[in-house]
Amino acid sequence: ASPAIQAADGNVSFTNDTTARYEAAIESYYNARPVERFRFLLDELALTAYVQAENPEISNIDIAPGSTPGEAAVSVKVRRPIARWSIDGSDQYVDGDGVVFSRSFYPKPTLQIVDNSGISATNSQLVASDRFLGFIGRVVSKAESYDLAVDTVTIPAATTRQVALSLKQ
């Protein structure tokens, strides 16, 4: 039987397509490791890492026994974005751990990364690599841990490896 998938946060709901995507990834993991279908042999960290490889918006997966024997209840916790980068009509999000993802189930964060580098959109991957966006996410998160609210994040003109943060007063 397919696992019953639900969001760990009651404010988040998944579409049928999203649920199907997560179910397929979990089933693929189990198909490669059939012995882990036994709950006591399941390596949840390996399962989570496997599913995250194709779905980086997931931060954690918890598998619990379902309501009937042989059934599993899957609780999926998704990442909460703290900043976003918009390029060519699509958004990339970053969370406080510096993980970059493209599907968010929360409202768009108000903190947007502004690109004033002057580099054309076709070369923007050089400016907004996952590593660079991850760095911004970690910096913003660290600032918030010291009660410093970041107002804007800007990539200054004629730069590709610098970021300017302005703080709210």
Side-chain angles (χ1 to χ4, degrees):
S2 293
I5 295 181
Q6 65 182 26
D9 182 344
N11 296 324
V12 172
S13 61
F14 299 139
T15 64
N16 290 338
D17 288 344
T18 300
T19 301
R21 180 183 310 112
Y22 296 163
E23 283 176 0
I26 291 169
E27 284 299 321
S28 175
Y29 177 85
Y30 281 142
N31 290 339
R33 298 159 191 81
V35 73
E36 290 192 38
R37 287 187 185 271
F38 293 110
R39 177 75 182 98
F40 63 92
L41 293 175
L42 176 63
D43 182 349
E44 282 193 31
L45 292 176
L47 169 67
T48 299
Y50 182 89
V51 176
Q52 284 173 329
E54 292 295 320
N55 303 285
E57 71 276 5
I58 294 175
S59 67
N60 190 41
I61 296 176
D62 183 47
I63 308 281
S67 58
T68 61
E71 186 181 69
V74 180
S75 177
V76 176
K77 184 176 180 186
V78 292
R79 299 181 188 282
R80 183 179 294 272
I82 60 171
R84 70 184 164 99
W85 164 268
S86 295
I87 186 78
D88 292 335
S90 65
D91 289 330
Q92 291 288 315
Y93 303 96
V94 64
D95 73 350
D97 293 327
V99 177
V100 178
F101 52 99
S102 59
R103 280 188 296 268
S104 177
F105 298 93
Y106 293 97
K108 288 185 179 184
T110 57
L111 183 59
Q112 183 170 354
I113 301 165
V114 178
D115 181 5
N116 290 333
S117 67
I119 296 175
S120 68
T122 57
N123 294 327
S124 287
Q125 289 298 341
L126 297 173
V127 176
S129 68
D130 286 356
R131 188 171 160 206
F132 187 67
L133 292 175
F135 169 76
I136 292 171
R138 289 188 303 277
V139 167
V140 170
S141 177
K142 192 65 162 176
E144 289 175 353
S145 74
Y146 287 101
D147 293 326
L148 299 170
V150 177
D151 188 37
T152 60
V153 177
T154 306
I155 300 170
T159 64
T160 59
R161 300 291 179 238
Q162 295 179 16
V163 63
L165 301 170
S166 65
L167 303 175
K168 295 178 184 173
Q169 293 187 3

